[in-house]
């Protein structure tokens, strides 16, 4: 919760892509630390520290990533949101049983999955450039640049003849 609040404040001064980079880097470091600790004979209590930081990094990832994904499809935001949600649930559905097959007495499968997916997130960030801004209409009379259909002038009334002259 705190990382999401901090992320939203940071988004006031920085671009979403930069905040996303911070979150992905943070996730990668925490996941690698989790894997390193899972491979040592230390107690499970020590795993909570990098696990906490890995989960906290999601506050810097989920919001900006969703905003960037939806910004890429401005005319289909509902469909874009559905694809993002389906991808999250689908990936979780694929990874969960694989991690469970690794056994319940070790954190190594979980740490490997988290580390592997963090690396995938980092590679995806580097491979996919920021989307181009959507085209906008020229400035309107009110000074705004709102996307959408062009404005249609209001019908005009013929004021050259008064009601008395027409009768």
């Amino acid at each position: 919760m705190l990382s999401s609040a901090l992320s939203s404040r940071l988004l006031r001064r920085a671009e979403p892509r930069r905040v996303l980079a911070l979150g992905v880097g943070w996730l990668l470091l925490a996941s690698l630390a989790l894997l390193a600790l899972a491979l040592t004979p230390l107690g499970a209590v020590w795993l909570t520290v990098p696990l906490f930081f890995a989960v906290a990094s999601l506050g810097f990832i989920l919001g900006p990533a969703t905003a960037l994904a939806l910004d890429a499809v401005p005319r289909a935001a509902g469909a874009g949101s559905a694809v993002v949600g389906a991808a999250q649930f689908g990936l979780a559905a694929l990874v969960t049983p694989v991690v469970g097959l690794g056994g319940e007495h070790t954190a190594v499968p979980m740490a490997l999955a988290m580390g592997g997916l963090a690396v995938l997130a980092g590679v995806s960030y580097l491979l996919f450039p920021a989307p181009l801004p959507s085209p906008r209409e020229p400035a309107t009379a009110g000074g705004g640049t709102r996307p959408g259909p062009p404005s249609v002038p209001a019908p005009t009334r013929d004021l050259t003849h008064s009601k008395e002259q027409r009768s």
Side-chain angles (χ1 to χ4, degrees), residues 5-19:
L6 184 58
S7 171
S8 70
R9 295 197 85 183
L10 186 58
L11 282 167
R12 293 179 191 157
R13 288 181 244 155
E15 295 176 4
R17 189 153 167 84
R18 287 183 168 258
V19 176

Side-chain angles (χ1 to χ4, degrees), residues 15-111:
E15 295 176 4
R17 189 153 167 84
R18 287 183 168 258
V19 176
L20 179 62
L22 176 68
V24 169
W26 184 354
L27 175 65
L28 187 58
L29 289 174
S31 297
L32 294 177
L34 180 68
L35 179 59
L37 283 174
L39 292 172
T40 65
L42 292 174
V45 71
W46 291 104
L47 296 175
T48 59
V49 174
L51 191 57
F52 170 82
F53 284 104
V55 172
S57 72
L58 297 180
F60 289 86
I61 294 173
L62 295 177
T66 302
L68 288 169
L70 296 182
D71 194 42
V73 289
R75 296 188 190 270
S81 179
V83 169
V84 168
Q88 289 172 345
F89 278 99
L91 190 58
L94 291 173
V95 171
T96 302
V98 174
V99 170
L101 290 174
E104 60 186 53
H105 299 293
T106 179
V108 173
M110 175 190 69

